[in-house]
Amino acid sequence: MKFLRNTLDKAKHNFEEGGKYHKYFYVYEALDTFLYSPNTTAGAKGVQVRDAIDLKRLMMTVIIAMTPCLLFGIVNVGHQHFLALGQQASMMDKIMVGLMQVLPIVIVSYTAGGIVEAIFAVFRKHPINEGFLVTGMLIPLVMPPNIPLWQVFVATVFAVLIAKEAFGGTGMNVLNVALTARAFLYFAYPTQISGEVWTYIPEGAKVVAGYSGATPLAIAAETVTSGGNAVTQLSGFGAGWANESLYSLQNMFVGLIPGSIGETSTLMCLIGAFILWATGSGSWKIIVSVFGGAYAMGLLLNALAVNPFMALPAHYHLVMGGLAFGAVFMATDPVTAAQTETGKWVYGFLIGVFTVLIRVFNPAYPEGIMLAILLMNVFAPLIDYFVVSANKTRRLKRATV
Amino acid sequence: MGKFIRLKKGFDINLAGKAAIKFGNADHPETCVIKPDDFHGIYMPKVMVKEGDQVKAGTPLFHDKKNEKIVFTAPVSGEVVEIKRGEKRKLIEVKILADKTVESLSFNKYSVSDLASLSREKAQTQLLESGVWLNLVERPYGIVANPEHTPKSIFVSAFDSHPLAPDFSFIYKGNEHYFQAGVDVLKKLTSGAVHVNVHSEKEISPVFSQVKGAELNKFSGPHPSGCVGVQIHHIDPINKGDVVWTINPFGVIQIGKLFLQGIVDASKVIAVAGSEVTESQYYKTYTGASVKPLLKNNLKQEHVRVISGNVLTGTSIGKEGHLGFYDQMISVIPEGDYHEFLGWITPSTKKLSFQRSFGLLSFLSRGKEVVLDSNTHGEPRAFVQSGVFEKVVPMDVLPTHLIKAIMAEDYDEMEALGIYEVIEEDLALCEFVDVSKHPVQQIVREGIDLLANA
């Protein structure tokens, strides 16, 4: 250990002002502070002691909260793969197939983002920010398992560049970086990220008879034109080739269904939510209000229902698609969410409302959470504006009484 | 009748090394200094003595050129040995070699009954001439009170909620008489009430509970309940154009002694506390006194940080430094200039954190005493709004937005968001809990200076 420290200390002067590699100071700093927490001490004035938390730890906590989703996602990718091919497979096989699909995506996402971060750190002279640790993991979790790796690379570069660095880096961005990556792919290369792409089927492989890769949301949306009862359609899905009801409420909650790598399981998202809540790393107010908003909107649509999708029981909305994942990991992004405590309630609630609205009324977008969060990212400062104004008004009123 | 205000937000840092309720013996301090930097709102100090002059307690050392009535006087008698100046001849400090027995200039003496008929002008003149005036701090801005203002109220926080803070019922014991006289004089200076604020769960000294003519308010809850800015916010908030003065109990007692005995008495009882002090206890010393005798043979190790004041708002002064003008304690903690391998992720129950992120397990043993060092535990980063500031500010103030407005130098916004209601100490906990390690108190002071000089 001592050796490592000595090497770092010896190399330091090269990166300091006037050193050979001064340009790369922040790259050195990133490595140095990753290996050792710094030896800086409090200034002469001000607080003399500091809380043990730092941004690295905060971000790592969020990553830890995501790991249940990631692990479950790996298994599920394998599970869906064998289900579609109509083969029996052991747990080990499922994990292996899952890993083969998921790991490259994670690596590409981290590499692409890391390169952009490092380049900007060198040229813009700002520290390499830990925020990317989270983004780099979020991006793979919202990708279909079969996504071409070059698309992951391009999307990540686009998102980090346009959604983050263009605004000044972590802490300054308006839009959620991971969702920007997904939205970019959605609009630039729609064939690879919409339709029936949610199950990993290798080229040339023969799927089981009767197989369909439609997602629950697609099936529910279909009932608008085809009629029938959405719940019956859902629970009847998969009969003959998968187990009896692939899209039963319970199965959708557990998450053994096709979908993006990490977002299928509401259960795993709730475990993540619990970790975020217990560690205070994510706003529980946002999580609760997104679910609340979606449920309330679902109930309202039930009351006004003129087609089967509108009549879909409100609680189905909570377990279908990416609502849970978005609520727990995307909406709670501390930088792009509303920043006032009252604002967070409004922000989350509206995300829920818009998600369900987009799902039910916009046939072009079967899933609404992505666009709902991006939309509310843009409106978050407006929500805060009103909350802050209320605070100012209280102060002014006090003066005149 | 006073008010009872329950505060919930905040955080008590339970540091190891609390001062035991007893007195230690230490040598008489060799030197005392008065530093202009201990005060805010002082622009151009003009020195009125020369090196080699003999002074008594209460002899003017320098005054503020902008407001000549505000005079800074010697806390003890002795010889002026050094007038230390920095860049551009900025006055750093005036040092006095202290006599063994302190003599004071004599000022007018009053009996308790005479005090009642004393006029505001006379009281104010005596306070200003003796330098005892400096105990009065004006809000907004936290500056030395302007004698031309009449505050709408005067606040005395009669408890200290900072880490390792001295026990006021001990250090002010037996000063009932002087405290009452001080309050009587203060009442002449304000158009409103004098508020004395105590903590409902701590022992309330008769010095405060028996005071007449003042409002006795009770507070409950964790730090910063003892910060006078928080108390003002809940009792008589400062709006634009309002002026409120604050003073600590030591100041009130010093005023009482000035009028009842006609002397400037700068002797005070302070706590010397912290994990690195061999015997944490109380000592008798003087305002501005050298801390050297207090730390002699009293440190567990040499690599320490000596702080005048508490660990949240104090100033690092070194082992041979001097006590700050308003400070009532010395804190000694380990210096934290070490690297820690993978320190940003290793789990620990020992590292104190307000938060509960992965591996920060100190919340499991809340209430247990902890040793903290001066390490920053991380590097400065951009703001990440985790909502944690809002959990340690028990006021209807939006700390994140206020701090951002200051950084943007947006005057209107600062004003609207309540900068008049805070000074550094009120938001010190934000600086402690900050994930991104901003110098919050420095930022607040910069904002205040911007407005004060606008």
Side-chain angles (χ1 to χ4, degrees):
Chain A
M1 285 307 116
K2 198 96 198 158
F3 166 74
L4 197 58
R5 183 68 249 159
N6 289 343
T7 321
L8 282 168
D9 285 340
K10 240 184 252 166
K12 191 170 186 188
H13 72 271
N14 287 323
F15 295 96
E16 283 175 331
E17 197 74 57
K20 260 191 292 193
Y21 307 114
H22 179 54
K23 251 207 236 170
Y24 306 107
F25 174 74
Y26 286 112
V27 179
Y28 167 83
E29 193 222 22
L31 180 69
D32 185 29
T33 57
F34 171 77
L35 288 170
Y36 290 91
S37 57
N39 64 346
T40 45
T41 56
K45 263 192 131 113
V47 294
Q48 308 286 326
V49 292
R50 288 272 195 176
D51 194 296
I53 197 167
D54 68 345
L55 200 57
K56 284 192 177 70
R57 199 181 278 268
L58 186 68
M59 294 297 174
M60 274 315 289
T61 309
V62 179
I63 292 181
I64 289 166
M66 281 192 281
T67 40
C69 282
L70 175 70
L71 297 179
F72 184 88
I74 291 173
V75 176
N76 188 42
V77 167
H79 179 76
Q80 296 304 322
H81 165 78
F82 288 112
L83 203 58
L85 300 188
Q87 296 168 1
Q88 291 293 321
S90 68
M91 189 65 172
M92 206 54 218
D93 289 339
K94 292 177 185 171
I95 292 175
M96 282 317 289
V97 170
L99 275 178
M100 294 288 283
Q101 283 309 108
V102 175
L103 217 51
I105 301 179
V106 175
I107 293 170
V108 167
S109 152
Y110 269 118
T111 315
I115 292 172
V116 180
E117 277 280 335
I119 292 176
F120 267 84
V122 169
F123 286 103
R124 290 290 313 260
K125 300 192 172 42
H126 69 61
I128 294 181
N129 210 298
E130 293 78 14
F132 186 71
L133 297 176
V134 173
T135 318
M137 183 59 84
L138 277 173
I139 291 176
L141 293 184
V142 294
M143 293 290 157
N146 224 356
I147 189 97
L149 292 178
W150 66 268
Q151 288 190 4
V152 178
F153 189 91
V154 172
T156 308
V157 170
F158 174 85
V160 176
L161 209 62
I162 303 297
K164 191 165 82 171
E165 293 301 342
F167 290 98
T170 301
M172 325 283 180
N173 47 315
V174 176
L175 296 178
N176 184 299
V177 183
L179 278 181
T180 309
R182 195 177 195 277
F184 170 78
L185 287 183
Y186 195 86
F187 292 108
Y189 306 100
T191 41
Q192 276 86 5
I193 202 167
S194 54
E196 304 193 352
V197 299
W198 307 105
T199 305
Y200 164 56
I201 301 164
E203 244 167 88
K206 221 174 105 54
V207 295
V208 67
Y211 167 78
S212 158
T215 60
L217 282 168
I219 292 166
E222 227 166 67
T223 58
V224 177
T225 45
S226 65
N229 183 313
V231 175
T232 331
Q233 294 286 333
L234 280 171
S235 52
F237 182 81
W241 60 275
N243 45 18
E244 275 308 299
S245 54
L246 189 56
Y247 293 161
S248 67
L249 190 65
Q250 188 200 345
N251 213 30
M252 288 195 287
F253 176 74
V254 175
L256 285 169
I257 55 172
S260 294
I261 292 166
E263 64 162 25
T264 57
S265 173
T266 309
L267 177 64
M268 293 300 141
C269 292
L270 289 180
I271 293 175
F274 176 78
I275 297 175
L276 289 184
W277 168 77
T279 58
S281 311
S283 168
W284 61 271
K285 291 176 188 167
I286 294 179
I287 301 176
V288 169
S289 57
V290 173
F291 281 115
Y295 190 70
M297 195 64 215
L299 284 182
L300 182 68
L301 292 185
N302 288 166
L304 308 170
V306 292
N307 66 40
F309 200 177
M310 283 173 80
L312 180 74
H315 56 274
Y316 269 73
H317 278 294
L318 306 186
V319 296
M320 286 160 76
L323 183 98
F325 189 83
V328 175
F329 296 112
M330 298 290 192
T332 54
D333 171 6
V335 178
T336 56
Q339 310 214 330
T340 51
E341 296 305 304
T342 323
K344 284 174 182 166
W345 288 112
V346 180
Y347 167 82
F349 191 83
L350 288 177
I351 288 178
V353 167
F354 278 117
T355 304
V356 173
L357 273 181
I358 296 171
R359 279 180 179 178
V360 177
F361 291 114
N362 198 328
Y365 306 111
E367 174 53 301
I369 184 83
M370 170 179 84
L371 292 172
I373 294 177
L374 287 174
L375 180 73
M376 291 315 296
N377 279 171
V378 176
F379 281 104
L382 186 69
I383 298 172
D384 283 338
Y385 173 82
F386 285 114
V387 178
V388 173
S389 297
N391 178 282
K392 293 178 186 167
T393 318
R394 277 199 298 281
R395 187 162 289 111
L396 271 180
K397 264 197 184 146
R398 197 178 65 193
T400 48
V401 168
Chain B
M1 246 331 267
K3 293 182 184 172
F4 183 27
I5 288 161
R6 286 184 183 83
L7 301 177
K8 291 217 172 69
K9 293 175 175 182
F11 187 49
D12 281 325
I13 299 175
N14 196 3
L15 278 189
K18 282 184 190 57
I21 301 288
K22 61 182 171 114
F23 283 109
N25 281 318
D27 295 342
H28 194 76
E30 270 177 31
T31 54
C32 281
V33 304
I34 293 290
K35 292 172 276 195
D37 277 353
D38 281 350
F39 309 92
H40 290 293
I42 301 302
Y43 297 93
M44 298 242 274
K46 167 113 171 91
V47 180
M48 300 156 80
V49 289
K50 291 189 298 292
E51 284 177 14
D53 284 1
Q54 291 291 329
V55 294
K56 286 183 176 174
T59 307
L61 299 177
F62 53 91
H63 65 75
D64 184 11
K65 260 193 192 170
K66 211 171 169 190
N67 195 339
E68 293 193 10
K69 282 187 189 160
I70 296 178
V71 176
F72 299 76
T73 59
V76 292
S77 59
E79 182 193 343
V80 177
V81 282
E82 192 186 0
I83 296 169
K84 196 166 158 191
R85 291 180 183 277
E87 270 175 44
K88 297 185 186 166
R89 291 185 45 79
K90 178 185 185 260
L91 182 63
I92 306 287
E93 62 187 31
V94 176
K95 193 184 274 180
I96 298 162
L97 193 63
D99 290 342
K100 290 278 179 245
T101 40
V102 174
E103 271 181 64
S104 169
L105 286 184
S106 14
F107 295 89
N108 293 333
K109 233 165 108 173
Y110 300 87
S111 67
V112 175
S113 52
D114 287 348
L115 268 185
S117 55
L118 178 70
S119 72
R120 178 189 163 134
E121 284 70 38
K122 272 195 167 166
Q124 185 162 311
T125 312
Q126 176 141 324
L127 283 169
L128 283 163
E129 279 173 358
S130 61
V132 174
W133 182 265
L134 298 172
N135 287 298
L136 287 164
V137 174
E138 180 169 314
R139 301 275 187 127
Y141 310 139
I143 54 177
V144 174
N146 185 336
E148 265 136 50
H149 291 166
T150 303
K152 67 168 182 168
S153 50
I154 296 180
F155 277 78
V156 184
S157 176
F159 67 101
D160 191 341
S161 54
H162 285 101
L164 297 177
D167 179 353
F168 282 9
S169 63
F170 179 63
I171 65 176
Y172 299 129
K173 208 171 174 177
N175 281 302
E176 287 85 349
H177 196 47
Y178 296 125
F179 189 81
Q180 181 64 56
V183 168
D184 292 342
V185 174
L186 289 176
K187 278 175 68 185
K188 297 177 194 301
L189 303 177
T190 171
S191 57
V194 174
H195 293 273
V196 176
N197 305 321
V198 294
H199 197 280
S200 64
E201 285 143 42
K202 288 182 185 167
E203 186 196 342
I204 301 166
S205 158
V207 175
F208 310 121
S209 61
Q210 291 172 9
V211 71
K212 290 185 195 72
E215 301 277 324
L216 192 72
N217 306 298
K218 286 186 180 171
F219 284 79
S220 72
H223 181 69
S225 56
C227 283
V228 71
V230 173
Q231 299 169 355
I232 297 171
H233 176 86
H234 288 282
I235 290 176
D236 191 8
I238 302 167
N239 302 305
K240 193 183 177 182
D242 287 351
V243 170
V244 168
W245 287 353
T246 70
I247 183 168
N248 58 26
F250 170 79
V252 182
I253 291 165
Q254 205 183 18
I255 292 175
K257 283 181 185 164
L258 174 69
F259 284 90
L260 291 185
Q261 294 195 354
I263 58 163
V264 172
D265 181 5
S267 68
K268 58 164 82 169
V269 177
I270 65 162
V272 176
S275 59
E276 304 314 296
V277 178
T278 320
E279 276 218 67
S280 289
Q281 55 192 352
Y282 292 86
Y283 291 89
K284 284 181 180 140
T285 185
Y286 293 88
T287 298
S290 162
V291 301
K292 205 169 148 190
L294 307 177
L295 302 177
K296 200 171 141 195
N297 302 326
N298 201 11
L299 294 178
K300 287 183 187 163
Q301 55 142 329
E302 285 306 297
H303 199 51
V304 295
R305 176 174 288 225
V306 178
I307 300 152
S308 173
N310 61 72
V311 294
L312 288 178
T313 64
T315 308
S316 170
I317 54 169
K319 278 174 247 172
E320 307 203 337
H322 293 80
L323 188 66
F325 186 86
Y326 296 104
D327 294 331
Q328 311 194 63
M329 71 176 305
I330 299 289
S331 313
V332 186
I333 58 169
E335 197 61 88
D337 54 344
Y338 55 85
H339 288 280
E340 189 186 356
F341 184 64
L342 295 181
W344 56 279
I345 194 64
T346 24
S348 162
T349 51
K350 293 208 177 89
K351 287 181 182 167
L352 181 74
S353 179
F354 175 68
Q355 294 155 86
R356 301 179 305 250
S357 281
F358 171 77
L360 297 177
L361 304 171
S362 65
F363 70 92
L364 296 174
S365 48
R366 278 240 161 110
K368 219 174 120 190
E369 290 188 344
V370 290
V371 175
L372 290 184
D373 56 48
S374 63
N375 193 285
T376 53
H377 301 293
E379 318 86 67
R381 286 289 183 257
F383 265 114
V384 170
Q385 167 61 334
S386 58
V388 70
F389 284 5
E390 286 71 12
K391 290 182 192 155
V392 294
V393 178
M395 294 192 267
D396 188 19
V397 166
L398 298 167
T400 317
H401 292 83
L402 177 59
I403 292 165
K404 285 187 174 176
I406 296 172
M407 291 166 100
E409 302 194 359
D410 185 336
Y411 288 58
D412 293 339
E413 193 79 0
M414 279 190 247
E415 208 176 270
L417 288 170
I419 194 162
Y420 296 132
E421 302 191 44
V422 296
I423 63 167
E424 298 97 312
E425 61 170 23
D426 305 320
L427 297 184
L429 264 181
C430 291
E431 188 172 341
F432 173 76
V433 300
D434 187 10
V435 176
S436 310
K437 315 287 175 192
H438 284 91
V440 173
Q441 296 185 76
Q442 188 191 325
I443 294 169
V444 170
R445 178 47 63 184
E446 280 163 10
I448 289 174
D449 285 347
L450 276 179
L451 277 181
N453 302 331

